[in-house]
Structures are given as C-alpha cells and as structure tokens.
Amino acid sequence: MQLQDVAVKRVTGAYALIDSLKRHGVKHIFGYPGGAILPIYDELYKAEAEGGIQHILVRHEQGAAHAADGYARATGQVGVCFATSGPGATNLVTGIATAHMDSIPMVVVTGQVPSHAIGSDAFQETDIFGISLPIVKHSYVVRDPREMARIVAEAFYIASTGRPGPVLIDVPKDVGQAIFDYEPVEPGNVKLPGYRPTVKGNPRQIAQALKLIRQAKQPLLYVGGGAIASNAHAEVKELAERFNLPVTTTLMGLGAFDEHHPLSVGMLGMHGTAYANFAVTECDLLIAVGARFDDRVTGKLDEFATRAKVIHIDIDPAEVGKNRAPDVPIVGDVRQVLTDLLHRSQEEGDGRDPERNRAWLNRIARWQEDYPLEVPRYPDSLSPQEVIVELSIQAPNAIYTTDVGQHQMWAAQFLKNGPRRWISSAGLGTMGYGMPAAMGAKVAMPDEEVICISGDASFQMNLQELGTLAEYHIAAKTVIINNGWQGMVRQWQEAFYEERYSASNMQKGMPDFVKLAEAFGVKGMIVRSRDELKGAIAEMLKHDGPVLMDVRVKRDENCYPMVPPGKSNAQMVGLPERKILERAAELITCSSCGAKNVSSNKFCPECGTKL
C-alpha cells in the first residue's frame, strides 16, 4: 500500500512510529534491538522488506547515536537512532549529550518497559526521560498510541528548527503493541504555540550593526557552528567580501568560510592560529555569527577582545550575552539576519571597497608571515602534521570526521574543509566519536570520500564498529595517528604537571590494529615511515571498502600554538621562530624575558607579558 493511500487504518503503535518516520523522509536508522523495543523492530522488519528504509545494526548503542549525529552533520537532516530500555537507552547518553552540545538535529527512539511496570524497577527499566532531560532539546514518553504520529511530527519539527538539537521519544512496550485507528500526521503539520523560534532579526538592531561595521577600522568576523546549521556559507562570504572583513572560525564553524580565501585567518582559540588570536585581541569590532564564546575560544574571558565592540547574531536568545555582553544583540536565524543586513547594505549603497581596512589586513598579513603553522620534518620519525597534510593533498574534498585530542587539533589546523565536510565533537569532546560518525556520514553520502582521523586511544573507545563497517560494506576510511599515548593528556601532563605521566601511556595493551581490522573483515594497513606514507594513503583511498590505517608518528610531538589555561589569547606558547627580521626601529624589548617584539604587539608571544 502506498503512503498516500493510508487514511484511517487499524495498526499498532509501532507501525504508526515507523510509518511516521518514513513520512518524514527517514531512509536510515542506526540502532540495536532488545526486549522492550521488539514491537518496533518487528514493524521495522516489515518496512525494510517493502523497501525505502534501512536499519544499520551497530555493535554498541553509543555507536548508533554517533552515527546518527554524523549523518545529520553531513546532510543537515535529522539523524535517527534506536535503542531498547535500560542499558540500551543509557548507552545512548554520551551520544545524545554530544549532539546536544553541538546543536545537532536528532530523533532518538528508545523502548521502555510496559506502562503498568514503569516505576516498579522492572527488568531493564531506567527512567531515560529523566536521565536525559539536561541533554535534550525536548523529550516525550508516549502514553497513548493515538499520540504517536503527532509526537513524531513534533519531534522532527523541534529537532530541526530554531537552534537544532536531539529529541527523545520513549515508547513503552505495550504502546508499541496496542492496536488503534491510525490517522497519519504529515511533516510540519504541528501546532506548538509555546515554541516559536525567532527567525527575523530586529531591523533597528540590524541597522545599528551595519553602522558599527561601517565605522570599524579593525573588524573581525567570528563565525561558529550556527552558520553551518543555517547554511549561511554564501552570506558569510558576501558579508566578508563586501566589507573586507577578515574571518576566523571556531572548531564548530570550520567549513563555513573557505580557508583558501585571502580573508581567512583560520581557527581561533586554544589551538588556533597565532594570527587569528592576535587579530581577536587587537580588533575594534567583533562580529559573532552563530558562535557562543566558548571557553576554548576566549581563553581568559575578561581579556578576550577587550578593545572591541561586539555584534552577536544567534538564533538562541539564551546564548546572546551569556558569556560576553554584546553592544548589538541580534536574535534570529543567522542566514536570515545576514540576508537582511546585506540587503539593507545594498539599498544604502555600500559597495565593495578593496581598500577598506587595508592597514588592518596588512597587519594580519604580517602576523601570518611571522607566525605560520609549521609542519615539522624529523630525520628519524614521521610527524603527525605530515600525515594530515598528505591526506589533505590526496583527498582535499573528502568529508572528514575526527575523534578528540591532538589529532583533532592538527586536523583543524591543516585541513581546509568545505561546508559540512568537517565533523567533530567540539563541545563535549567525545573520544570514540570519529569512526561511528564517519559511518553515519558515509551511509548518508555514499558517493563521497569519508575519512576518520583518530588517535590510538580514541579509536579503542568504539572499535567494535569495525563490525558494522564490514557487515554493510561502508567504505569509510580510518587513519589512526598513533603515538602510543592519550596525546593531549600527555601534553598537559608535560606542560602543567611536571611530566608526571599518570595513566596516559597506551603502549601496554595496545592491539595490533592491522590484525584487529582483519579479524573484523576490514582491510588493515600500517605506515612506519615517511617513504611509505604517500603510497599507503593512495592505496587506502583506492580500496573499495572500509580501511583501518595505523600510522606510527613521533611519540612526543606537541600541538602548538597553545593558549595555556587561564591566559589570554595573545599569551600563546609554542609559536614558531620569526621568519622575518624586522628593522631595529620597529622592535621593542620585552621587560620580562628580553625577547624582541614588533611594535604592534600588545603582549610578548614568548612569555605573555603585556608590553
């Protein structure tokens, strides 16, 4: 029977759920069955036999949540995952929190014990509704099967509108089994009077923002994940070019602006570029677009962009002014606000002036020359940065996912990703995220190259998903940057804990990753030297199927530059040596450490002393 032929029909609650998911365009579901959710899986079995929807059986529920998350980030659509009650549901919690922190649209369906048993400590009963309250955008317990279609429609609407996020639907077993007269609810046909996200920005605030942009001599466009969520890439580019604005992005905002563009200064923050951090320190206007002034971006908050007036554009009013009070707050959808701002600018005759902010751009260009990101080459070992750069050369247009740690920061520094081609756990920093997210992205985009960059410690968090890759022949490639450590933990222990490497060495007990991959039926590879790297990556990319590549890199390489905790963005450590000797008249000496500094510096990059 075709969907459009269904009017009123006697069905189960589980049928209503699966049919409603299909009506909302769901093609793939990531999940793991169990007793309480079996009525739903029984209907899913029938739906798969009819075609149009596929279930991907993961090996752990956390993998299901991360895969749905990666699916959503790659497509901009709502990702869907299933789990049963009790431990199945709680195994989703880390993945739900990951999506919540990064504002990723997901619908999470959990089975629950029968309604009459709720609260009795029944077998595999857990209050996932209560457990997940702080980490979801909204949640439901379905008490009546007649509410199923409405709840699904509401869940998709809430997850994908306003500030996106995960929505939980908890389905007691008896509700899934109950038979009733089913009336479908079509996508978007919902009434939620208490939920009305602000889309259009206030015209007066937009006019004030435009005035500040015109007046600024040292502006900086600071772009976060909200620009990705609202698909505002074209509008960000037009704004930057019209007003000659240098552009920096957060970890979540990577891909929102082309990093090959001459106005790009790359990522800012703890492991951002030196020139982005100097620019945010010196700017007189900071235009925050879909960004939330995260602590990894701001460093010491009371010394962040202290010279700047702030324009803050965000769809979530709770974020505006939460960490930094803006001079011009604009609540609204980033794309809509930028569209209105650009339209107003055009009406008022703002043209593209290549000389606008020229002196400011020249200062930034000098910082870029003096403090570039460097790729070290060691005579007896391979540097992690070399691996990332070679990947970017051979697969420049791939969708990249990462785990969390040093490899994540090197990837953020050296990959130049396009929109929705950078998928990484930014807010929660979830180890074990990368490979399941790559799995979800590849299922969503089967014709795209998908590469996970992982660390040897992170990878072991969810290595069981090699089985899922093998079963479904999901041709995502995983590259392990293997230094035998929890790399970022080791770096912090070296820098701040007097080299007491407590519980961070991963060499003992490390598996043979090639044999591990082969045990799951996945192609395994190992790279031990620079001479092997280029050919191995080419072989990996050519292989028609999943690949796990173990790349042995320098064990004690640190990720720089770095803003130490409690320091301002200008107080970075690990900056490269100066490439250009300035004229003596342009140099000033630091009173603390004696280092020579260009006169434009406000802080000494060697020791952080204010000049």
Side-chain angles (χ1 to χ4, degrees):
M1 181 177 287
Q2 299 296 317
L3 290 180
Q4 58 265 32
D5 296 334
V6 177
V8 177
K9 179 181 177 181
R10 295 286 291 177
V11 302
T12 65
Y15 176 94
L17 171 67
I18 299 300
D19 183 67
S20 296
L21 293 176
K22 290 172 69 175
R23 289 175 181 275
H24 282 79
V26 175
K27 305 295 184 192
H28 299 95
I29 297 167
F30 303 90
Y32 200 101
I37 202 171
L38 280 182
I40 292 170
Y41 268 84
D42 191 49
E43 291 293 348
L44 179 57
Y45 177 89
K46 300 170 189 175
E48 281 195 282
E50 294 174 358
I53 195 167
Q54 181 186 23
H55 178 265
I56 306 293
L57 174 62
V58 297
R59 270 51 183 176
H60 189 284
E61 291 89 352
Q62 185 177 336
H66 292 330
D69 177 309
Y71 189 101
R73 295 193 203 216
T75 62
Q77 300 168 7
V78 177
V80 179
C81 60
F82 282 4
T84 196
S85 63
T90 58
N91 281 344
L92 291 173
V93 167
T94 298
I96 297 171
T98 300
H100 182 257
M101 286 286 282
D102 289 350
S103 304
I104 306 303
M106 282 170 47
V107 168
V108 179
V109 178
T110 52
Q112 185 54 275
V113 300
S115 300
H116 65 82
I118 292 176
S120 70
D121 291 333
F123 176 67
Q124 289 193 333
E125 180 192 356
T126 299
D127 179 13
I128 191 61
F129 179 92
I131 288 170
S132 64
L133 275 176
I135 55 169
V136 295
K137 188 174 179 184
H138 196 62
S139 50
Y140 297 89
V141 177
V142 186
R143 303 290 185 179
D144 185 331
R146 290 171 294 185
E147 297 179 341
M148 185 72 78
R150 173 187 61 81
I151 285 173
V152 171
E154 288 181 6
F156 273 79
Y157 180 70
I158 292 169
S160 59
T161 57
R163 181 178 183 173
V167 177
L168 174 78
I169 303 176
D170 195 35
V171 185
K173 189 173 184 178
D174 59 309
V175 173
Q177 294 171 320
I179 297 174
F180 70 107
D181 291 331
Y182 171 49
E183 295 185 40
V185 176
E186 296 301 328
N189 190 18
V190 296
K191 296 179 180 179
L192 293 170
Y195 175 70
R196 294 179 180 175
T198 301
V199 175
K200 296 275 289 183
N202 184 296
R204 285 176 292 182
Q205 298 298 90
I206 290 174
Q208 184 63 25
L210 196 54
K211 181 180 178 181
L212 288 182
I213 292 171
R214 292 190 185 112
Q215 293 172 345
K217 295 180 179 178
Q218 297 185 171
L220 183 66
L221 190 54
Y222 156 47
V223 181
I228 302 285
S230 67
N231 296 308
H233 320 104
E235 290 74 18
V236 167
K237 181 174 184 286
E238 185 176 349
L239 179 65
E241 290 180 342
R242 176 167 295 179
F243 292 99
N244 233 20
L245 305 173
V247 181
T248 185
T249 63
T250 67
L251 186 64
M252 279 293 297
L254 289 172
F257 188 76
D258 181 5
E259 289 193 51
H260 296 98
H261 195 288
L263 287 170
S264 173
V265 295
M267 183 178 74
L268 83 166
M270 180 172 280
H271 289 285
T273 66
Y275 31 94
N277 283 333
F278 285 142
V280 78
T281 302
E282 296 293 316
C283 69
D284 63 6
L285 176 66
L286 187 64
I287 309 161
V289 176
R292 59 189 181 88
F293 294 84
D294 175 75
D295 62 298
R296 291 296 172 103
V297 163
T298 64
K300 190 175 181 181
L301 185 59
D302 60 6
E303 293 185 17
F304 178 73
T306 55
R307 302 164 181 263
K309 291 187 176 180
V310 174
I311 299 167
H312 192 176
I313 304 169
D314 203 288
I315 199 164
D316 185 356
E319 289 295 345
V320 178
K322 183 176 79 175
N323 294 325
R324 173 68 182 265
D327 297 271
V328 180
I330 304 176
V331 175
D333 176 75
V334 165
R335 186 177 184 183
Q336 183 64 59
V337 170
L338 293 185
T339 297
D340 292 344
L341 188 150
L342 288 164
H343 181 68
R344 182 169 188 136
S345 165
Q346 192 171 23
E347 283 186 335
E348 295 178 3
D350 284 320
R352 300 182 190 277
D353 180 5
E355 294 305 309
R356 189 195 297 263
N357 311 325
R358 179 55 57 192
W360 173 231
L361 294 175
N362 286 342
R363 284 187 70 192
I364 292 173
R366 189 161 72 173
W367 288 328
Q368 289 173 317
E369 290 178 5
D370 291 350
Y371 306 108
L373 292 172
E374 294 187 324
V375 180
R377 289 174 65 90
Y378 302 103
D380 57 351
S381 59
L382 186 61
S383 75
Q385 297 94 321
E386 289 178 272
V387 182
I388 306 295
V389 169
E390 186 60 37
L391 282 168
S392 72
I393 291 170
Q394 294 199 37
N397 299 315
I399 295 171
Y400 284 93
T401 73
T402 78
D403 274 291
V404 171
Q406 288 177 315
H407 67 274
Q408 178 191 32
M409 294 297 101
W410 283 313
Q413 289 175 343
F414 290 100
L415 295 176
K416 309 295 183 185
N417 302 87
R420 297 199 178 277
R421 291 178 180 269
W422 168 260
I423 296 175
S424 189
S425 172
L428 197 64
T430 306
M431 294 173 70
Y433 172 84
M435 187 170 68
M439 186 167 71
K442 185 64 175 177
V443 168
M445 314 289 281
D447 297 328
E448 299 284 352
E449 192 71 67
V450 178
I451 300 171
C452 167
I453 298 174
S454 188
D456 54 278
S458 282
F459 179 78
Q460 293 182 69
M461 292 273 186
N462 270 317
L463 60 81
Q464 76 285 338
E465 296 311 323
L466 286 168
T468 308
L469 294 176
E471 178 183 352
Y472 296 94
H473 198 69
I474 301 169
K477 313 299 197 286
T478 300
V479 178
I480 299 176
I481 307 297
N482 189 345
N483 60 11
W485 291 95
Q486 298 162 29
M488 193 62 82
V489 173
R490 185 207 61 77
Q491 180 171 334
W492 279 55
Q493 287 172 333
E494 177 188 313
F496 310 119
Y497 295 91
E498 299 177 340
E499 302 184 38
R500 292 186 293 274
Y501 300 118
S502 175
S504 55
N505 191 323
M506 298 296 289
Q507 279 198 312
K508 291 182 180 180
M510 181 184 292
D512 181 323
F513 288 115
V514 173
K515 290 181 179 178
L516 179 71
E518 291 172 347
F520 279 97
V522 170
K523 180 180 177 64
M525 302 174 66
I526 189 166
V527 174
R528 294 186 175 90
S529 70
R530 183 176 297 112
D531 292 341
E532 299 172 338
L533 181 64
K534 185 175 181 180
I537 289 176
E539 180 183 345
M540 176 188 75
L541 295 174
K542 187 177 179 181
H543 180 70
D544 181 23
V547 177
L548 178 63
M549 179 187 286
D550 177 10
V551 185
R552 303 299 175 92
V553 298
K554 188 174 186 294
R555 293 208 66 217
D556 58 352
E557 181 71 9
N558 286 334
C559 184
Y560 293 122
M562 178 182 180
V563 178
K567 300 294 184 181
S568 76
N569 282 29
Q571 295 174 291
M572 290 166 281
V573 297
L575 290 179
E577 293 183 4
R578 298 287 304 279
K579 298 296 181 182
I580 301 171
L581 293 176
E582 304 289 341
R583 294 192 303 273
E586 294 180 322
L587 296 179
I588 55 177
T589 302
C590 174
S591 60
S592 179
C593 70
K596 299 295 184 181
N597 286 266
V598 285
S599 57
S600 60
N601 283 2
K602 301 303 178 186
F603 295 89
C604 174
E606 295 297 324
C607 68
T609 300
K610 191 169 183 178
L611 298 173

